[in-house]
């Protein structure tokens, strides 16, 4: 709890800083969080992961980032450079030359189908984060909760699940052993196009993602509404960002879409329900905006963390989000998208 108090006290100073100062101050403050390197079993993570002593500490970590409007991609890049913590947010937005230099192969990286940058910041290359004595790993359609040293049981579970010997419906969990619990999530977000990393003109993806292309096709605006339930964490929010067609390597003919800092805008007004998981449900209205020269204009409307499970998942009842982005090297220099829910 002492760490949470320190994080919250720092927010007053961060708001008075510039955006770059905020990221630097946040980096210094969160360096006190433990980074673990666990290689006890062959299947166990051999890369650093974030470690929180409790869900209260994790909640304070997330809240500080939300309230300071920190640019999460800047935070991810800073943590990678300064202490070697390579989050999924950093990996998913890096070119192959950078990943090759770090010894990271995309085929070894966890696939976490979420549109929420906060979740990707929390998770390392293997999709892991530790809270107290439990590790939570997200990969594909499952969230695994296990005790330290017990990750070798995951391969056996997958073998039995694929053979039909274990059945878990979407949205259900099952205690596989004393050390391993598996939750099969029911989220409908899909980052396959992001992971393929080919600079094609994608159609709208499953879930709520839209691309609008600037004149010339070198830049595009990505508008998203994210909403997921991940057993230990849940969220609801919106984002706007600009991506540029970049080379996979320093030279070559293959390209991917990489995030660039531009003037991004976001406005939303919605009515939504927080559906209780062992708690009373509630309905709320929310409106807000975010304008910035940044990697991403992002607003989280509501979120929760907890054990044995996050207490709420969220559904939008009605409303809209409005997204703008500006690229002044082309004409017209503005893209706009309204999404109705």
């Amino acid at each position: 709890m002492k760490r949470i108090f320190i994080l919250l006290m720092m927010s007053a100073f961060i708001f008075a800083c510039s955006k770059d100062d905020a990221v630097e101050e946040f980096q210094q403050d969160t360096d006190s969080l433990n980074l673990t390197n666990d290689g006890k079993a062959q299947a166990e993570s051999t890369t650093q992961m974030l470690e929180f002593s409790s869900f209260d500490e994790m909640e304070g970590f997330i809240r500080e980032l939300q309230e300071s409007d920190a640019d999460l991609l800047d935070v991810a890049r800073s943590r990678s450079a300064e202490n070697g913590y390579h989050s999924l947010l950093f990996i998913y937005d890096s070119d192959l030359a950078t990943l090759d230099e770090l010894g990271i192969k995309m085929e070894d990286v966890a696939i976490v189908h979420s549109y929420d940058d906060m979740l990707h910041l929390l998770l390392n290359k293997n999709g892991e984060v530790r809270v107290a004595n439990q590790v939570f790993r997200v990969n594909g359609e499952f969230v695994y909760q296990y005790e330290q040293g017990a990750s070798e049981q995951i391969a056996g579970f997958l073998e039995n699940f694929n053979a039909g010997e274990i059945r878990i419906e979407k949205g259900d969990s099952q205690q596989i052993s004393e050390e391993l619990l598996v939750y099969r999530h029911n989220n409908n977000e899909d980052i396959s196009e992001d992971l393929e990393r080919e600079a094609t003109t994608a159609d709208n993806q499953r879930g709520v993602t839209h691309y609008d292309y600037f004149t010339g096709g070198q830049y595009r605006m990505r508008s998203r509404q994210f909403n997921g339930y991940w057993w230990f964490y849940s969220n609801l929010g919106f984002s706007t960002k600009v991506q540029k067609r970049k080379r996979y390597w320093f030279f070559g003919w293959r390209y991917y879409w990489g995030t660039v800092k531009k003037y991004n805008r976001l406005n939303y007004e919605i009515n939504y329900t927080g559906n209780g998981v062992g708690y009373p449900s509630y309905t709320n209205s929310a409106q807000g905006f975010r304008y910035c020269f940044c990697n991403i204009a992002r607003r989280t409307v509501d979120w929760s963390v907890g054990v044995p499970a996050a207490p709420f998942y969220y559904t939008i009842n009605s409303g809209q989000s409005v997204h703008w982005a500006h690229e002044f090297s082309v004409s017209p220099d503005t893209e706009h998208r309204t999404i109705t829910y």
Side-chain angles (χ1 to χ4, degrees):
M1 295 300 294
K2 180 179 179 182
R3 291 175 182 163
I4 298 175
F5 175 76
I6 294 172
L7 286 167
L8 295 176
M9 288 296 292
M10 291 302 297
S11 63
F13 177 75
I14 292 176
F15 274 114
C17 299
S18 67
K19 185 57 63 181
D20 289 341
D21 291 339
V23 173
E24 180 180 356
E25 186 65 32
F26 173 80
Q27 176 67 34
Q28 293 172 355
D29 193 46
T30 56
D31 279 345
S32 61
L33 289 170
N34 291 327
L35 287 168
T36 62
N37 191 327
D38 190 348
K40 288 193 172 183
Q42 186 173 356
E44 198 78 30
S45 175
T46 56
T47 59
Q48 290 183 343
M49 72 177 84
L50 289 182
E51 179 181 4
F52 301 93
S53 62
S54 65
F55 274 101
D56 284 341
E57 186 177 29
M58 173 184 270
E59 182 176 355
F61 178 90
I62 296 171
R63 189 177 303 281
E64 169 65 14
L65 286 167
Q66 308 282 29
E67 293 180 352
S68 68
D69 277 332
D71 192 316
L72 296 188
L73 185 54
D74 279 348
V75 173
R77 289 168 174 168
S78 178
R79 294 190 70 86
S80 174
E82 295 185 17
N83 59 31
Y85 172 64
H86 309 311
S87 65
L88 287 182
L89 180 57
F90 169 78
I91 293 171
Y92 287 168
D93 204 76
S94 294
D95 59 59
L96 293 184
T98 299
L99 298 181
D100 186 62
E101 184 178 347
L102 295 171
I104 297 174
K105 298 180 179 179
M106 284 303 296
E107 57 265 31
D108 298 328
V109 175
I111 300 174
V112 179
H113 287 293
S114 171
Y115 298 158
D116 182 15
D117 286 351
M118 180 65 73
L119 179 63
H120 289 159
L121 178 65
L122 290 172
L123 302 178
N124 71 357
K125 176 177 76 73
N126 299 322
E128 301 161 316
V129 61
R130 178 172 294 154
V131 184
N133 64 341
Q134 297 288 305
V135 176
F136 296 86
R137 178 188 291 186
V138 185
N139 198 351
E141 60 182 322
F142 296 109
V143 181
Y144 307 97
Q145 177 183 342
Y146 55 89
E147 296 181 5
Q148 180 178 337
S151 63
E152 71 276 2
Q153 297 182 28
I154 293 175
F157 157 75
L158 288 172
E159 182 178 348
N160 292 331
F161 178 84
N162 292 330
E165 298 175 9
I166 296 178
R167 294 180 59 86
I168 305 178
E169 299 298 325
K170 289 186 176 181
D172 290 342
S173 64
Q174 188 172 140
Q175 192 75 44
I176 304 303
S177 69
E178 185 177 346
E179 299 86 9
L180 175 64
L181 179 145
V182 178
Y183 171 71
R184 188 179 183 189
H185 69 76
N186 194 30
N187 303 309
N188 71 341
E189 297 171 355
D190 189 345
I191 63 169
S192 297
E193 191 271 341
D194 296 341
L195 295 179
E196 289 171 1
R197 303 170 68 81
E198 292 289 354
T200 58
T201 54
D203 295 326
N204 298 341
Q205 293 177 269
R206 184 175 56 162
V208 183
T209 294
H210 295 274
Y211 293 106
D212 293 283
Y213 292 81
F214 289 88
T215 302
Q218 291 297 312
Y219 295 91
R220 68 182 185 182
M221 179 183 75
R222 191 187 74 185
S223 309
R224 274 181 169 170
Q225 181 267 312
F226 55 87
N227 183 10
Y229 187 80
W230 305 96
W231 187 246
F232 64 95
Y233 167 75
S234 60
N235 55 39
L236 171 65
F238 309 91
S239 67
T240 308
K241 72 188 301 184
V242 173
Q243 295 176 309
K244 182 180 180 181
R245 190 171 178 262
K246 297 182 176 182
R247 294 183 187 273
Y248 263 110
W249 300 88
F250 299 120
F251 54 88
W253 57 270
R254 296 184 65 194
Y255 293 82
Y256 76 105
W257 291 104
T259 305
V260 289
K261 280 190 175 182
K262 297 294 176 181
Y263 287 99
N264 297 305
R265 294 193 287 167
L266 166 69
N267 204 323
Y268 64 88
E269 183 173 0
I270 61 167
N271 178 274
Y272 71 96
T273 298
N275 304 279
V277 182
Y279 291 81
S281 298
Y282 63 91
T283 299
N284 198 10
S285 295
Q287 59 182 1
F289 64 90
R290 175 82 170 117
Y291 304 157
C292 57
F293 180 75
C294 53
N295 288 299
I296 183 168
R298 178 182 179 277
R299 274 285 184 262
T300 297
V301 176
D302 214 337
W303 58 279
S304 67
V305 298
V307 65
F312 298 99
Y313 66 94
Y314 306 100
T315 52
I316 296 180
N317 304 317
S318 61
Q320 68 176 25
S321 60
V322 185
H323 308 256
W324 302 265
H326 307 279
E327 170 47 48
F328 297 114
S329 67
V330 299
S331 181
D333 58 18
T334 301
E335 287 295 337
H336 167 271
R337 165 75 63 171
T338 299
I339 305 175
T340 303
Y341 308 98

